[in-house]
Amino acid sequence: MPSSVVRSTFDRSVPVWITTAVTLVLLMILPLGWLAWVSVSSEQGTTFANYVQVFGDPHLQKALWNTIVLAFWVGAASLAVGVPMAWLTGRTDLPGKRLIRALIMASFVTPPFLGAFAWVMLAGPNAGLLNKVYRGLTASDEPLMNIFTMSGLVFVVTLYSFPYVYIMIVNTLELIASDLEEAGAILGASRLRVALTITLPLALPAIISGFILAVLQALALFGSPAILALPAGFHTITTQIWTFFQYPPKVEQAAAFSIPLLLATALLLQLQKRLLGRRGYAGVGGKTGARRPIPLGRWRWAALAGVFAVLACTIVLPYAILAKAAFAKAWAQPLSWDNLTLANFTFTFFEYSATRDAIINTLELGIVTATVGAVMAALLAYVTNRRLVPGHQALGFLAVAPVVIPGVVLAVGLFIAYTRPPLVLYGTLAILFVAYLTKELPVGYAQADTTFKGVHPELEEAGRILGAGRLRVLREITAPLARSGIIATWCFVFIGVIRELSASIILFTPATKVISVVIFDLKEEGQFAAISVLGLFMLAMTFGIVLLMQTALGRDFLGAKD
Amino acid sequence: MPGVTLRGLTKRYGGVAAVDNLLLEVKPRELVALLGPSGCGKTTTLRLVAGFLTPEAGEIWVGERCLSSATAVVPPERRRMAMIFQSYALWPHLTVAQNVGYGLRFKRGMTRTDRDRRVSEMLRVVQLDGFQARYPSQLSGGQQQRVAVARALVVEPEILLLDEPLSNLDANLREEMRFEIRRLHETFGITTLYVTHDQAEAMVISDRIAVLDRGRVAQVGSAEEIFQQPRTRFVADFIGRTNLVDAVAATPDAVTRGALRLRVASADLTPGARVSVSIRPHEIAFATSTEGHAGDNVVSGRVRRVSYLGDAVDYQVELADSDVVLRVAAAPVLRLRAGEAVRLTIPPSACVPLPE
């Protein structure tokens, strides 16, 4: 009698598919479906009137144009800053590379709206600290710079967008073996020629794709334009969409105005994916030999000064002014013992109820979203990596699909979808949870995917063949090996959630404010000290998590090994 | 100790059969090497036997146990097998002792003390005694390899599977480990399937070799049989170096190609049929005088190229009045120069006719 086990007739992919389908409907298809539907509906039925109205309005045309100008210049400026910095830290003997990388990483995790806010204190035309110093030095009446302008906006947004370019390029440069460059040099090309004819073309897909990422960043941003453009009297698409929600809300117009932003994002991301998909030709991924840093010679210190000038603008000056405002009785006054106080902290954390509630809400949302998100991302990544169900590629695609939805657009969709039956979530923390989960799923999935790619399937098979069942292998072998990667996933989602503004600003209600929204409110009230305290708190939390993540991964999260 | 029988095993990937109606019988205590170029289906076959893949058709039997058929598939953890992986697949978060002892945890009625004792014994067998508390990352490649071997053998599997286990080692160590694996096989006598693309490895290690070609077994036999009596052009070409001459059968025991006429080993050719003849380079000799052995094929030609290889000299000889170029391996005592006219003698037993 042959002993055998009857093959299970139950298809285990069914529950996976049902769960995933339901989740994705709730997270993406419902909001986007409603968004599209509302954009073409009116009391008289289906119509394009909303589009005609929106795109015929000269004010809105101006907002559209402003967004394009902003995005283009941010992209260009990010390249101008990011490419040289990547080359300097990736390829040359520039001193202090570790510190530079750490500071660029800090720029990457600094919430842009906090940077924008700090720059209001630094370069506001009248009270701005830098302008005051300048006027004191030159006895001029004119400010050095006015941050409330388009160029001011481009400047600030670039400070927190260039890290995208930097990361793209630095990682690509790491993959281009020195041999490729030396092969050029041995054939008689000068150093500059090698850079122009070999390194640059090899890095070009990464450069263009970094440009696209910076542009996308600028397109989707709400906080910086709201802080800098609105006082200057101009709008971008995102601030305009937000205005549609001021009383009385014009949801149809907001929807109609959101669709082009969504399409532009999807298109640009598609383009970027194409570019990166082709990079096989770059020979990157070949056997990478040891890289010998290029000596900068007498340019070494000049280059270092340049790099630190940029980092002063992104990190040193903004953090300093936030710290000063948090600890000073009056932020615009000079630092002295009389001017120091801790009252701002007690006020923010204990006395002012709005900030206290917001901190609790933010932490709650951060922990819940990060936990659910990490579990979901891990499950999806495991299923797709181990090809456990038919159609696993589609699952992976769906998990990263939300990346094309800008926060504001997602918020408009969620607002429409969940202010009506069957699921009325508006006014609860749940709608923010849905928004955050959707927004962070692609990042979480990418991290989890990398994690499981690093756990060789043979490690699991070795357990199976020695007698351990599927679940036991998952528990005793896969889970311990994936743990640090999943912790990192949790951290990524958590950091993303606590700094989120562009969706929150549309979905919050007085009972469901989060820190970022309160900072925005406080700005209207001119409560600079409380903002700074909250800002520092947010930064402290972020860096705490980043440290945790680095310990878990054993490397810095831009991808470099120590 | 049971053997393994594969009957009509088939595995398709998107319409392409990676393993195609494969038949193979491994006798108890035998070590059979699955040998073939990449893409021939050898690893897929091994993974089907292990249970990591489910076949579309066919059966897998171990002794009297059916492990896989159209109606039932036993999961890997209940196949009583062990496997040594190409990547070794040592768990980096477990120590050497924990790695080796892992499979023993699923043995009924085995106490912790028993387990520890068995692990120590096995580590002694693979000469890693004292390494119990190390982690895999603290070991050299060869040591990791031996931990993988210990982990597989300690559970006393009915069947042992090896998937190119030596391909990550450097050349010297690889040669040493071949003998080591053969020694362990002779000690433990476990029925073994061994996947490799390295023919020398297959020849040293195995009792029999199964040469795989496009998902099917092209030939099974001892190293000697496969080398001396290849049954297909593919096998002749893949195992060792050979000269392949495309010809037409003239009589039941002779073929012709233009002016060239060769008497061959077989005596049952159909006159007029197309036949490839395989002649190993070292079976061809330079005729020093006009007489060779009675009945040898004797052909004349001219040396085109000479390559000195140390233990032998490799000649390319262009045959007279023919487009055939034969490679001849000769001892280095004889030194001919390019351009010299030579006569070659080829015994008919060295001319192995192959069906097209």
Side-chain angles (χ1 to χ4, degrees):
Chain A
M1 169 80 200
S3 70
S4 56
V5 175
V6 175
R7 190 195 321 222
S8 157
T9 49
F10 177 70
D11 186 353
R12 67 182 166 231
S13 63
V14 172
V16 175
W17 271 109
I18 291 175
T19 317
T20 315
V22 169
T23 313
L24 285 166
V25 165
L26 288 178
L27 293 186
M28 279 186 70
I29 298 169
L30 207 56
L32 291 188
W34 273 112
L35 183 74
W37 171 246
V38 166
S39 76
V40 293
S41 60
S42 70
E43 278 152 25
Q44 286 81 43
T46 315
T47 172
F48 281 102
N50 296 321
Y51 285 94
V52 174
Q53 195 182 353
V54 165
F55 291 99
D57 185 332
H59 285 292
L60 300 186
Q61 285 170 358
K62 189 81 180 60
L64 211 59
W65 177 243
N66 288 336
T67 306
I68 294 169
V69 170
L70 171 69
F72 174 79
W73 284 112
V74 165
S78 297
L79 282 190
V81 178
V83 173
M85 285 195 36
W87 183 75
L88 285 168
T89 55
R91 266 295 191 270
T92 70
D93 63 347
L94 190 74
K97 280 188 225 170
R98 277 180 73 123
L99 177 64
I100 295 169
R101 277 191 84 103
L103 287 175
I104 292 176
M105 201 166 72
S107 337
F108 187 63
V109 297
T110 303
F113 63 85
L114 220 51
F117 174 76
W119 273 95
V120 169
M121 292 192 282
L122 285 168
N126 300 318
L129 193 69
L130 293 181
N131 286 328
K132 273 167 111 178
V133 171
Y134 173 78
R135 275 194 289 258
L137 288 176
T138 60
S140 152
D141 286 339
E142 291 299 304
L144 174 66
M145 59 196 283
N146 180 2
I147 207 71
F148 297 114
T149 55
M150 176 56 95
S151 43
L153 180 59
V154 169
F155 170 75
V156 171
V157 175
T158 301
L159 291 180
Y160 303 100
S161 299
F162 88 85
Y164 289 90
V165 175
Y166 175 87
I167 293 168
M168 284 303 313
I169 314 246
V170 110
N171 287 342
T172 304
L173 284 181
E174 246 162 46
L175 291 172
I176 301 174
S178 283
D179 325 8
L180 294 177
E181 292 170 333
E182 283 167 357
I186 204 85
L187 292 172
S190 69
R191 195 173 297 164
L192 181 67
R193 238 189 133 78
V194 166
L196 289 179
T197 57
I198 296 171
T199 319
L200 188 68
L202 286 178
L204 199 58
I207 291 174
I208 298 173
S209 119
F211 174 80
I212 292 176
L213 284 183
V215 164
L216 285 173
Q217 192 61 14
L219 279 182
L221 216 53
F222 168 78
S224 307
I227 291 169
L228 299 175
L230 294 185
F234 67 94
H235 268 294
T236 62
I237 296 185
T238 51
T239 61
Q240 188 59 56
I241 292 175
W242 171 70
T243 314
F244 284 131
F245 278 84
Q246 306 307 92
Y247 195 80
K250 297 189 258 310
V251 177
E252 289 80 9
Q253 296 185 17
F257 214 47
S258 296
I259 296 285
L261 188 55
L262 180 64
L263 293 181
T265 315
L267 213 70
L268 283 170
L269 273 177
Q270 192 55 37
L271 189 65
Q272 191 230 5
K273 212 175 134 198
R274 278 260 183 96
L275 280 169
L276 285 187
R278 273 197 332 201
R279 81 174 164 185
Y281 84 91
V284 293
K287 193 169 184 177
T288 52
R291 267 175 301 277
R292 289 148 289 267
I294 298 164
L296 288 173
R298 58 204 165 94
W299 295 106
R300 214 160 161 234
W301 301 104
L304 189 66
V307 168
F308 273 107
V310 173
L311 293 172
C313 291
T314 61
I315 298 293
V316 182
L317 291 173
Y319 283 34
I321 194 91
L322 284 175
K324 184 187 174 199
F327 288 99
K329 289 180 186 144
W331 70 268
Q333 297 305 310
L335 266 186
S336 66
W337 285 112
D338 309 335
N339 197 14
L340 280 183
T341 177
L342 285 175
N344 298 326
F345 285 83
T346 46
F347 172 76
T348 310
F349 289 127
F350 305 110
E351 290 160 22
Y352 191 47
S353 66
T355 49
R356 213 185 43 214
D357 293 347
I359 289 172
I360 294 168
N361 285 341
T362 304
L363 287 179
E364 218 175 281
L365 279 165
I367 290 168
V368 173
T369 313
T371 308
V372 175
V375 169
M376 246 177 96
L379 284 178
L380 279 169
Y382 187 75
V383 167
T384 50
N385 265 287
R386 296 296 183 258
R387 306 169 180 196
L388 293 186
V389 299
H392 53 87
Q393 302 96 329
L395 277 184
F397 171 76
L398 288 172
V400 296
V403 85
V404 304
I405 315 173
V408 176
V409 175
L410 178 66
V412 175
L414 289 171
F415 179 88
I416 302 169
Y418 296 123
T419 45
R420 63 186 80 217
L423 269 177
V424 186
L425 298 179
Y426 184 70
T428 67
L429 286 178
I431 198 166
L432 289 171
F433 164 73
V434 172
Y436 297 163
L437 187 62
T438 313
K439 250 190 110 176
E440 298 305 323
L441 191 58
V443 176
Y445 176 80
Q447 174 61 35
D449 187 49
T450 314
T451 303
F452 286 115
K453 283 210 165 69
V455 180
H456 200 297
E458 286 187 352
L459 291 171
E460 293 172 356
E461 289 167 358
R464 292 295 298 282
I465 198 81
L466 287 173
R470 187 180 282 279
L471 287 176
R472 200 186 181 103
V473 163
L474 206 56
R475 194 173 65 238
E476 291 179 353
I477 293 166
T478 319
L481 292 176
R483 191 177 53 208
S484 58
I486 301 305
I487 293 176
T489 308
W490 192 96
C491 294
F492 268 113
V493 176
F494 186 84
I495 292 176
V497 168
I498 60 171
R499 62 188 281 182
E500 212 292 328
L501 174 65
S502 57
S504 319
I505 199 73
I506 287 174
L507 295 174
F508 81 92
T509 51
T512 58
K513 285 189 182 174
V514 290
I515 296 180
S516 56
V517 168
V518 168
I519 289 182
F520 194 71
D521 277 2
L522 289 170
K523 204 224 137 216
E524 306 289 291
E525 298 169 25
Q527 296 262 25
F528 283 36
I531 296 178
S532 303
V533 169
L534 278 180
L536 288 184
F537 175 66
M538 201 181 231
L539 288 173
M541 213 156 42
T542 306
F543 286 112
I545 295 287
V546 168
L547 277 182
L548 171 67
M549 187 154 72
Q550 295 195 359
T551 320
L553 287 177
R555 60 170 166 81
D556 86 36
F557 80 112
L558 296 189
K561 287 174 205 77
D562 272 343
Chain B
M1 192 61 64
V4 180
T5 309
L6 310 181
R7 283 190 201 139
L9 212 53
T10 300
K11 176 73 190 172
R12 284 190 201 88
Y13 288 112
V16 183
V19 174
D20 188 5
N21 195 19
L22 184 134
L23 299 161
L24 183 67
E25 175 115 33
V26 182
K27 296 181 197 111
R29 299 179 179 274
E30 192 181 30
L31 194 161
V32 170
L34 299 178
L35 177 66
S38 58
C40 71
K42 56 190 189 300
T43 294
T44 307
T45 305
L46 199 74
R47 294 171 59 79
L48 286 167
V49 174
F52 300 138
L53 299 174
T54 308
E56 264 88 46
E59 294 178 359
I60 300 170
W61 289 78
V62 168
E64 295 295 300
R65 269 197 322 149
C66 175
L67 296 185
S68 184
S69 70
T71 52
V73 174
V74 176
E77 60 268 26
R78 289 159 73 171
R79 295 196 169 196
R80 297 180 219 156
M81 295 181 180
M83 181 157 171
I84 298 173
F85 294 85
Q86 188 170 10
S87 66
Y88 312 148
L90 299 183
W91 300 302
H93 63 301
L94 301 181
T95 62
V96 167
Q98 286 169 329
N99 264 284
V100 175
Y102 190 82
L104 293 177
R105 291 169 31 193
F106 309 108
K107 298 258 173 198
R108 267 160 228 255
M110 185 168 279
T111 64
R112 175 174 281 275
T113 342
D114 289 342
R115 284 210 312 250
D116 290 349
R117 190 177 42 77
R118 292 269 292 272
V119 168
S120 293
E121 271 170 20
M122 188 47 74
L123 285 176
R124 207 167 309 127
V125 170
V126 297
Q127 295 151 30
L128 280 178
D129 202 16
F131 284 71
Q132 275 87 337
R134 301 261 193 114
Y135 282 91
S137 59
Q138 299 168 304
L139 304 178
S140 71
Q143 289 168 334
Q144 292 182 5
Q145 168 78 69
R146 286 190 296 212
V147 174
V149 170
R151 183 177 68 181
L153 290 178
V154 77
V155 297
E156 297 176 345
E158 287 181 358
I159 308 295
L160 182 62
L161 309 173
L162 296 97
D163 184 13
E164 310 222 11
L166 304 185
S167 57
N168 284 332
L169 299 176
D170 65 50
N172 285 334
L173 201 52
R174 192 153 57 214
E175 204 143 321
E176 202 178 296
M177 282 305 289
R178 284 176 189 166
F179 294 112
E180 182 69 11
I181 288 179
R182 184 66 214 176
R183 180 181 72 82
L184 289 170
H185 177 70
E186 278 157 15
T187 312
F188 291 91
I190 301 168
T191 312
T192 304
L193 270 174
Y194 188 107
V195 161
T196 181
H197 65 267
D198 180 333
Q199 46 171 305
E201 194 172 302
M203 287 172 152
V204 171
I205 285 177
S206 62
D207 298 309
R208 284 193 304 153
I209 296 172
V211 182
L212 264 61
D213 177 23
R214 283 165 295 173
R216 289 162 174 269
V217 175
Q219 189 172 353
V220 197
S222 68
E224 217 174 310
E225 281 165 7
I226 294 216
F227 187 78
Q228 295 194 331
Q229 289 134 37
R231 241 185 272 133
T232 70
R233 194 188 162 97
F234 173 82
V235 174
D237 204 22
F238 185 72
I239 308 289
R241 290 194 315 139
T242 196
N243 295 290
L244 285 170
V245 180
D246 293 323
V248 176
T251 65
D253 66 347
V255 299
T256 56
R257 180 185 176 88
L260 177 68
R261 184 183 170 89
L262 292 172
R263 291 186 51 223
V264 300
S266 155
D268 57 359
L269 299 177
T270 317
R274 292 153 62 86
V275 179
S276 290
V277 176
S278 162
I279 311 165
R280 299 285 178 193
H282 67 273
E283 308 252 34
I284 306 174
F286 290 102
T288 41
S289 60
T290 43
E291 74 252 39
H293 286 285
D296 278 2
N297 297 300
V298 179
V299 292
S300 55
R302 192 171 291 280
V303 175
R304 202 163 78 170
R305 190 183 289 272
V306 184
S307 313
Y308 176 71
L309 300 175
D311 52 356
V313 180
D314 184 66
Y315 296 95
Q316 287 184 25
V317 178
E318 205 172 295
L319 300 191
D321 308 321
S322 170
D323 59 345
V324 175
V325 176
L326 291 180
R327 305 187 73 142
V328 181
V333 261
L334 179 73
R335 297 301 294 273
L336 299 168
R337 276 198 211 92
E340 264 184 75
V342 290
R343 286 160 67 77
L344 305 172
T345 58
I346 312 168
S349 62
C351 300
V352 182
L354 309 165
E356 279 297 299

